[in-house]
Amino acid sequence: MTVIIVANPKGGVGKSTISTNLAGYFARRGESVMLGDTDKQQSSRAWLGIRSKDLPLIQSWDEEGGQLRTPKGIAHVVLDTPAGLAGERLKELLRIADRVVVPLQPSMFDILATRDFLAHLAERKAVRERHTRIGVLGMRVDARTRSAEQLQRFVEGLGLPVLGYLRDTQNYVQLAAHGLTLWDVAASRVEKDLAQWQSVIDWVDRD
Ligand SMILES: Nc1ncnc2c1ncn2[C@@H]1O[C@H](COP(=O)(O)OP(=O)(O)OP(=O)(O)O)[C@@H](O)[C@H]1O
Ligand SMILES: [Mg+2]
């Protein structure tokens, strides 16, 4: 089982968008997947609530008595996390994480706010001991622009990989509103976006 955490203390950067789509990808591949929500707003849970039962199943993760317990017999766990994640809560999550995906928008403010978080992650004992893989996913960015270049330079300067770039598109907004992911609609409708996810999936899948 792999546990993938999607985290950035900055709000509104795309954590829930990435979490739901990643879970949707595993489900479409026919693998058992749980989508967990450590967010008080419970956005992923609400999203699961509107997802049709006819679609590939994404199970929800229930925290028993506030305890994070990894379920048995599940191939993938994807955990959405809240803005402001820090301290004990973060520590607890890092104890079970195999991968951490950090969404980042290409603005100097976001980059500065995220820098400390990435540095903090790299220093964590759990991350070092578990060899947790950390990667940054550029959000709402056109890969051909100077801001993408800037983001890449910043991330690579920290010794971390850029997993890819997801463009700014209403597809994500509209799909989310219907409990859908990129893998639940005709590929022709979201062709560009599916292509952008390939490098993310390759990274997630690699042992
Ligand atoms: N690539 C994208 N293109 C366009 N809109 C996007 C994209 N990614 C996310 N959004 C939209 O931006 C908003 C914020 O995204 P999302 O909820 O995924 O962020 P978040 O990091 O989970 O926020 P929070 O910190 O509040 O939990 C949502 O309305 C979402 O649909
Ligand atoms: Mg969210």
Side-chain angles (χ1 to χ4, degrees), residues 43-65:
S43 10
S44 294
R45 182 182 297 268
W47 177 83
L48 275 179
I50 55 172
R51 184 173 168 82
S52 160
K53 302 284 171 280
D54 299 332
L55 291 168
L57 177 68
I58 299 173
Q59 302 185 54
S60 74
W61 155 300
D62 289 307
E63 285 184 42
E64 277 175 41

Side-chain angles (χ1 to χ4, degrees), residues 16 39 43 80:
S16 301
D39 191 339
S43 10
D80 189 11

Side-chain angles (χ1 to χ4, degrees), residues 65-78:
Q67 282 251 313
L68 279 174
R69 208 166 298 142
T70 46
K72 294 215 165 58
I74 291 286
H76 308 278
V77 174
V78 180

Side-chain angles (χ1 to χ4, degrees), residues 14-59:
K15 298 178 288 292
S16 301
T17 301
I18 296 173
S19 308
T20 50
N21 278 282
L22 203 48
Y25 165 72
F26 290 128
R28 175 59 62 182
R29 212 162 65 171
E31 295 172 6
S32 56
V33 56
M34 270 189 164
L35 175 62
D37 212 330
T38 67
D39 191 339
K40 275 209 197 70
Q41 286 178 44
Q42 301 272 309
S43 10
S44 294
R45 182 182 297 268
W47 177 83
L48 275 179
I50 55 172
R51 184 173 168 82
S52 160
K53 302 284 171 280
D54 299 332
L55 291 168
L57 177 68
I58 299 173
Q59 302 185 54

Side-chain angles (χ1 to χ4, degrees), residues 28-30 33 44 57 66 82-83 87 101 124 127 145-146 154 162 200:
R28 175 59 62 182
R29 212 162 65 171
V33 56
S44 294
L57 177 68
V101 176
R124 299 305 314 206
V127 168
T145 57
R146 185 179 277 184
F154 159 72
V162 176
V200 184

